[in-house]
Amino acid sequence: MFFFDPKTKEGAVIDPGSQGYKILDFIEQHNIKIKYIINTHGHYDHIGADLFLKDKLGAEILVHKNDAEMLKDPMLNLSFYDDVSEIGGIVPDRLLEEGDIISVGSIELRVLHTPGHTPGSICLFSEREIFTGDTLFAGSVGRTDLPGGDMKQLKKSLENKIKTLPDHLVVYPGHGPSTTMNHEKEYNPYF
Ligand SMILES: [Zn+2]
Ligand SMILES: [Zn+2]
């Protein structure tokens, strides 16, 4: 997933899993200058193309400090256990914390630390949209039975952080269809 400011053509890639070439194609066709590769958390299906894209685009890799180790270690990011090539050795360029602002052209993305799916899970929101990674899905939430997962924390993240955001935000989860904050507040059983 990625977005860009149409005026300045600056953009950011969020959670490049395995779509490195596809993303690169689009970016090159549209002459977009990617400044950042942002990981909403450290699982392998969200970081798989980090190094490929960093190498091609020279962008910086950003992740919350609590998930930084997962980028280095195939055991921690779980690629070791799955039927994929191992992913590791990724050194983040900047470690994120609650309240950080990431500027992409005229767009400001704010970092919400929303632990639960992993200790360093984040959501990123602008005036119009929110990228929720594996914290919030349409009608559901991410699993918390993997190492570092914690359902109590995830519910707290929903209640104390995500729920306070405006209803009009379009929600782009890490998996599945997009939705709106309004719809989730009304129908998502985890709220
Ligand atoms: Zn995940
Ligand atoms: Zn995922």
Side-chain angles (χ1 to χ4, degrees):
M1 197 174 291
F2 65 94
F3 70 92
F4 63 98
D5 177 349
K7 274 179 242 145
T8 65
K9 292 240 167 185
E10 283 181 332
V13 177
I14 298 174
D15 287 351
S18 54
Q19 309 259 300
Y21 282 103
K22 222 170 138 187
I23 297 169
L24 191 65
D25 258 8
F26 186 93
I27 287 165
E28 286 180 345
Q29 268 174 34
H30 292 80
N31 251 327
I32 298 162
K33 167 84 185 114
I34 295 293
K35 285 180 74 181
Y36 303 114
I37 298 159
I38 313 170
N39 300 133
T40 60
H41 64 292
H43 283 150
Y44 73 87
D45 57 320
H46 295 255
I47 63 172
D50 273 17
L51 286 184
F52 171 80
L53 288 174
K54 178 175 178 164
D55 182 49
K56 300 281 183 203
L57 303 167
E60 289 181 23
I61 296 173
L62 279 52
V63 69
H64 189 273
K65 56 180 183 175
N66 293 1
D67 274 13
E69 287 302 310
M70 295 168 83
L71 274 54
K72 297 172 191 158
D73 186 339
M75 299 237 202
L76 294 177
N77 65 46
L78 306 179
S79 57
F80 176 82
Y81 302 100
D82 216 332
D83 192 19
V84 294
S85 29
E86 281 184 27
I87 293 155
I90 306 169
V91 180
D93 297 286
R94 178 173 155 196
L95 297 180
L96 298 171
E97 288 182 59
E98 169 81 13
D100 280 355
I101 295 175
I102 303 164
S103 295
V104 180
S106 62
I107 301 166
E108 284 195 338
L109 272 188
R110 282 164 197 271
V111 175
L112 269 191
H113 180 212
T114 52
H117 176 67
T118 63
S121 280
I122 56 169
C123 295
L124 300 154
F125 69 99
S126 67
E127 281 172 6
R128 290 184 181 182
E129 60 211 355
I130 178 166
F131 301 92
T132 56
D134 287 1
T135 298
L136 176 68
F137 299 139
S140 186
V141 293
R143 57 193 287 188
T144 53
D145 59 333
L146 296 169
D150 185 333
M151 183 50 86
K152 252 191 222 157
Q153 264 191 334
L154 195 146
K155 283 189 171 162
K156 241 193 227 169
S157 296
L158 284 184
E159 190 63 30
N160 301 341
K161 305 233 174 127
I162 297 176
K163 212 176 162 180
T164 64
L165 297 178
D167 287 353
H168 70 263
L169 294 183
V170 179
V171 180
Y172 295 102
H175 302 273
S178 56
T179 176
T180 63
M181 199 55 93
N182 183 35
H183 187 88
E184 294 311 305
K185 283 181 190 176
E186 202 158 336
Y187 298 108
N188 191 316
Y190 290 90
F191 271 100

